Amino acid sequence: MTAPDAAGLHRRTQDLLAAHPPATTGRTEFLKARFDAGLAWVHYPAGLGGLDAPRSLQPVVDAELAAAGAPDNDPRRIGIGLGMAAPTVLGFGTDEQKQRFLRPLWVGEEVWCQLFSEPGAGSDLAALGTRAVRDGEDWVVDGQKVWTSSAHLARWAILIARTDPDLPKHRGISYFICDMTDPGVEVRPLRQITGEAEFNEVFLTGVRIPDSRRLGPVGEGWKVAQTTLMNERVSIGGARVPREGGMIGPVARTWRERPELRTHDLHQRLLTLWVEAEVARLTGTRLRQQLVAGQPGPEGSGMKLAFARLNQEISGLEVELLGEEGMLYSDWTMRRPELVDFTGRDAGYRYLRSKGNSIEGGTSEVLLNIVAERVLGLPAEPRNDKDVPWKDLAR
Amino acid sequence: MTAPNDETPTPDLLYSEAEEDLRAAVRSLLADRSDAPTVLARVESDTPYDPQLWKVLAADIGAAGLLVPEELGGQGAGHREAAVVLEELGRGVTPAPYLTSAVVATETLLALSVREGPAIALLGELAAGRRVAVLAAPFAAGRPGGAQPVAVVADTLEGTVTGVADAAAADVLLVPATDGLYAVEPGAEGVAVEPLVPLDLTRPLATVTLRGAAGTRLADGASAVGAVRRGLLAGAGLLASEQFGLAEWCLTETVRYTRERHQFNRPVGSFQALKHRMAQLWLEVVSARAAARNAADALASGSPDAPLAVAVAQAYCSGVAVRAAEECVQLHGGIGMTWEHPAHLYLKRAKADSVAYGTAGQHRTTIAELVELPAP
């Protein structure tokens, strides 16, 4: 079978809609039918929700289905499964694993989380200490993970653990799929700076994972994890943003509507940030145009850096602009939100939550190193951790 | 303009193949005729501009006529292409009256909206690269339209215009006067062009003094005001591309140098403190490219968004160019402070450019008006 073009996808989409009218079809039933028609992620292989079509044609399908009122699979709720687990399973999984996991993942029946970071292994993720010890057909896992979004909702987790402490750190890691309902998996909310628990800590005590749920060869887990992490960083700047579409929007509106709050100092800072937000928007637009033109540029690595700093500065300014009101906070009650919602919240929340933007998904310091070394070609700093057995590293 | 909404236009921020071909031609010309030692030698001579370089750039490559329609003797291209030329001239910190003549003076004449007469004849000469014209307005002329017109007394021109860029290279001065726009020959009676000592050695400044000077009137008062405003808007908008090109050269050269220079038994570019500075600068440089392309595209398409796009590009790119040049000097260490290394030429150009056609602060004030974020 040859890969379909835009016209072919249009026809298949219309066939799907005709066979399963959204108005009279249940949400899950429709999504399953869409997956089986190869219209879930068209660039995936046939039989696994795709048709081997160019990835750039996905918007053709999405737009037609949205226009027809078809349910979507709510990628925000299942973002980790879609963005990180799926490409890794596709790249490294066995046929059985792909058949078992990809469909319920995409449909949203099964939520995924990511058991990577640990209290002692953040930016230096390869230093992780969670152990997986072989016992017959199983691996027995002990350790602690942290910053786990959706762990309390998740059925499955992608997990990296140390299988050989005598090897240098990058070589003694293996990659597993962990069943979050298994005995020994304990999820505790991790309350944050905002007062909420958007993340979790996950304690793993004698958790038994069958070897059939290992992803990739033993000891090759770091290589597998690179696929996951690369996909994590790719998922930036997807949508077209209108002018004042980001955090600058609420503060600009406040400025326009409440002249009594204006000062000259704040005016100068607001204008500077307004310009930077507009330029960041244009840089994102240019990046997308490069992608469409088939000339992907390295600007993506930089966009997260820019937005992290802008979000922090703009929300900080906003608290000051609001003055007395800025000294108040909406609610410190400990809650476990399903989604991070920046713009629906007040300035104090934005100010505090945006502090995480320069830490999560790669700290700004690590991203600057990546830009310096991979984009600019500057030499790496000398390292003394690459050839030392993990067990001998300073911790 | 009303408050921003979802209807913001989608600009084309990439380079076309034709633009890349043009870039290659200009870059190759500059490599042959205007490398750093050549530029350094020229700026201390009496003739900072190389007439041969100008002939090839303006006439043979056709860069001078990019903004001019073919029926008026130009190339019928536009601001996007002229911006690419300016990127290259910025990269080479090239002394050439391109921005002043092929952009500002040319755009001013085009904006007169006349189809014949002396303005059109002059436009043809400029487009062909046979003559150089310069608008007699201060290079630092704050916001577009901020230039003070000279007086007209008994049909002759009376006044002084300070800090005119490239006046020394001009065959014609376009003089905004109280009752219109005049073409004045620099060698004519009553016209004095006195060179100043400029911060930016690669773009000479002069004071133009008119004492009973005669000129050819090209347009009446109202038409002249609008045309000068458009000339300065195009100048400010495309200056951003020069600033981007300059900043890109500074970054590239600094990365190259710090990879090669060893201290403490390591390339200095391997130290994280320096890598982070260069990575941050890279982010600003690619952002400056997007802002500059946006301004060029808005000018080219005659978008109503052009004044905002230009102000945003200027408010952003001025600072990036200065920072890139300052980092270039600092990260080159002592070598960056020497006369023989070209870094100082870039710093001087970047700093002067940050004042030219309005400072970043003046452009932010324009933005405040355009997007309705008023001062207290």
Side-chain angles (χ1 to χ4, degrees):
Chain A
M1 187 187 82
T2 55
D5 55 9
L9 288 174
H10 165 74
R11 191 169 33 76
R12 285 162 190 269
T13 305
Q14 292 308 316
D15 290 348
L16 170 72
L17 288 166
H20 306 272
T24 56
T25 311
R27 178 188 144 79
T28 305
E29 190 191 335
F30 183 89
L31 291 172
K32 284 179 176 170
R34 179 176 165 186
F35 186 93
D36 296 339
L39 298 169
W41 33 33
V42 297
H43 58 293
Y44 269 46
L48 295 174
L51 295 163
D52 295 301
R55 188 176 193 152
S56 56
L57 292 180
Q58 184 70 44
V60 176
V61 176
D62 292 346
E64 282 187 40
L65 290 176
D72 83 18
N73 59 342
D74 196 1
R76 290 194 301 168
R77 191 173 65 92
I78 60 171
I80 290 165
L82 283 176
M84 286 166 255
T88 314
V89 170
L90 182 69
F92 291 89
T94 61
D95 287 344
E96 290 74 20
Q97 288 168 336
K98 291 178 203 172
Q99 290 294 341
R100 165 63 188 86
F101 292 116
L102 289 176
R103 190 174 187 252
L105 182 161
W106 188 87
V107 169
E109 290 177 299
E110 291 178 348
V111 175
W112 286 65
C113 67
Q114 181 179 357
L115 297 176
F116 276 29
S117 294
E118 299 184 4
S123 289
D124 186 10
L125 180 60
L128 60 89
T130 291
R131 288 293 316 273
V133 177
R134 187 76 189 240
D135 179 26
E137 281 306 295
D138 291 346
W139 294 84
V140 180
V141 181
D142 287 278
Q144 183 192 344
K145 297 287 179 177
V146 73
W147 303 120
T148 318
S149 311
S150 306
H152 56 296
L153 308 168
R155 171 66 211 279
W156 298 103
I158 41 179
L159 163 76
I160 45 179
R162 186 155 307 281
T163 43
D164 191 344
D166 293 325
L167 290 174
K169 63 183 180 183
H170 292 94
R171 288 191 260 145
I173 294 171
S174 301
Y175 198 117
F176 302 95
I177 294 170
C178 174
D179 187 338
M180 293 296 284
T181 64
D182 272 349
V185 178
E186 188 198 349
V187 177
R188 295 184 202 160
L190 177 60
R191 198 174 184 194
Q192 296 146 235
I193 196 165
T194 57
E196 300 185 340
E198 176 197 316
F199 298 100
N200 301 277
E201 297 177 295
V202 178
F203 294 82
L204 304 163
T205 313
V207 179
R208 297 191 80 86
I209 299 182
D211 190 54
S212 61
R213 287 213 302 268
R214 177 166 44 80
L215 218 47
V218 174
E220 300 279 317
W222 185 250
K223 200 177 121 196
V224 182
Q226 289 307 303
T227 299
T228 313
L229 296 173
M230 230 156 40
N231 279 286
E232 182 171 19
R233 284 170 192 148
V234 162
S235 57
I236 311 167
R240 178 171 178 258
V241 184
R243 185 172 287 154
E244 290 190 10
M247 279 207 194
I248 197 73
V251 67
R253 273 195 298 281
T254 304
W255 185 272
R256 292 186 186 111
E257 288 162 10
R258 301 181 56 183
E260 76 280 6
L261 298 174
R262 297 172 191 164
T263 71
H264 286 285
D265 165 58
L266 290 168
H267 190 229
Q268 289 306 312
R269 288 160 58 198
L270 173 65
L271 290 173
T272 301
L273 289 171
W274 194 94
V275 168
E276 289 177 4
E278 171 70 358
V279 172
R281 183 182 78 83
L282 292 167
T283 309
T285 303
R286 185 164 198 280
L287 173 66
R288 282 193 300 284
Q289 291 178 353
Q290 281 179 292
L291 288 172
V292 170
Q295 328 155 350
E299 281 88 342
S301 333
M303 293 310 290
K304 178 181 178 291
L305 282 164
F307 281 115
R309 189 184 60 78
L310 270 174
N311 285 349
Q312 292 170 357
E313 290 195 19
I314 293 168
S315 59
L317 175 80
E318 195 178 0
V319 171
E320 277 183 71
L321 172 63
L322 289 167
E324 231 174 274
E325 209 178 300
M327 295 167 72
L328 306 176
Y329 194 74
S330 56
D331 183 6
W332 289 114
T333 312
M334 153 58 183
R335 284 175 297 168
R336 300 177 90 170
E338 274 197 35
L339 300 169
V340 183
D341 175 19
F342 273 128
T343 44
R345 305 288 294 274
D346 64 12
Y349 172 85
R350 275 197 282 282
Y351 173 70
L352 295 171
R353 182 58 185 82
S354 67
K355 293 297 163 214
N357 290 167
S358 52
I359 301 171
E360 59 203 350
T363 62
S364 291
E365 289 71 19
V366 164
L367 290 178
L368 286 169
N369 281 347
I370 289 173
V371 168
E373 290 171 20
R374 299 194 198 157
V375 179
L376 297 179
L378 286 164
E381 293 214 51
R383 297 185 63 162
N384 61 8
D385 62 338
K386 279 203 151 167
D387 301 316
V388 181
W390 174 82
K391 64 181 169 51
D392 298 332
L393 291 173
R395 267 187 290 283
Chain B
M1 194 189 131
T2 54
N5 55 45
D6 286 358
E7 299 305 309
T8 45
T10 301
D12 174 5
L13 302 177
L14 304 181
Y15 300 104
S16 68
E17 264 181 60
E19 287 166 12
E20 292 295 2
D21 291 346
L22 175 63
R23 176 198 306 287
V26 175
R27 189 175 290 193
S28 142
L29 168 68
L30 297 184
D32 284 350
R33 298 207 58 104
S34 189
D35 63 359
T38 308
V39 173
L40 262 170
R42 277 216 165 264
V43 293
E44 284 197 287
S45 73
D46 292 336
T47 51
Y49 292 137
D50 175 355
Q52 275 309 107
L53 172 72
W54 180 254
K55 186 189 165 297
V56 178
L57 174 71
D60 298 354
I61 294 178
L66 289 171
L67 298 184
V68 181
E70 286 178 54
E71 64 268 26
L72 300 181
Q75 306 296 319
H79 301 78
R80 294 173 52 89
E81 291 80 1
V84 168
V85 174
L86 278 162
E87 286 184 15
E88 293 306 309
L89 297 175
R91 281 180 60 87
V93 69
T94 313
Y98 190 81
L99 182 65
T100 46
S101 181
V103 176
V104 176
T106 299
E107 179 90 358
T108 302
L109 292 174
L110 282 168
L112 292 173
S113 301
V114 291
R115 307 304 293 173
E116 52 186 29
I120 292 305
L122 178 55
L123 203 47
E125 296 277 291
L126 298 187
R130 283 194 292 272
R131 299 179 89 190
V132 167
V134 160
L135 183 68
F139 195 37
R143 300 164 66 188
Q148 287 293 317
V150 306
V152 179
V153 180
D155 285 344
T156 63
L157 301 166
E158 285 289 332
T160 303
V161 191
T162 54
V164 179
D166 295 336
D171 304 305
V172 184
L173 296 165
L174 300 183
V175 181
T178 44
D179 74 340
L181 185 70
Y182 289 78
V184 173
E185 304 281 331
E189 203 181 326
V191 183
V193 176
E194 291 163 53
L196 301 164
V197 180
L199 176 69
D200 173 12
L201 294 149
T202 62
R203 184 136 52 203
L205 301 174
T207 298
V208 174
T209 309
L210 304 165
R211 291 284 172 263
T216 307
R217 201 161 90 133
L218 303 176
D220 65 20
S223 171
V225 168
V228 168
R229 185 176 294 134
R230 223 180 92 186
L232 291 173
L233 182 72
L238 297 198
L239 174 62
S241 289
E242 175 178 306
Q243 289 165 325
F244 158 67
L246 184 156
E248 196 185 35
W249 182 91
C250 289
L251 173 63
T252 306
E253 196 56 24
T254 304
V255 166
R256 190 189 64 72
Y257 178 76
T258 56
R259 284 167 53 130
E260 289 170 7
R261 167 81 170 167
H262 280 66
Q263 298 277 269
F264 307 103
N265 198 36
R266 290 163 59 177
V268 296
S270 69
F271 285 94
Q272 197 170 70
L274 271 54
K275 286 159 79 171
H276 284 192
R277 283 165 67 164
M278 286 183 268
Q280 181 60 42
L281 194 56
W282 171 81
L283 180 55
E284 291 175 30
V285 169
V286 297
S287 302
R289 170 166 39 210
R293 285 314 280 166
N294 186 49
D297 189 73
L299 287 166
S301 64
S303 161
D305 210 35
L308 180 61
V310 167
V312 165
Q314 270 302 297
Y316 189 77
C317 296
S318 289
V320 173
V322 171
R323 208 152 36 252
E326 288 177 347
E327 290 288 75
C328 181
V329 170
Q330 173 66 21
L331 298 184
H332 274 76
I335 290 160
M337 283 299 290
T338 65
W339 189 268
E340 69 183 278
H341 192 282
H344 66 99
L345 295 175
Y346 287 83
L347 180 63
K348 291 161 187 172
R349 169 74 72 91
K351 198 63 187 175
D353 277 359
S354 75
V355 180
Y357 302 134
T359 61
Q362 287 167 322
H363 286 286
R364 283 195 293 270
T365 302
T366 302
I367 292 166
E369 289 165 16
L370 292 173
V371 302
E372 295 173 10
L373 292 171

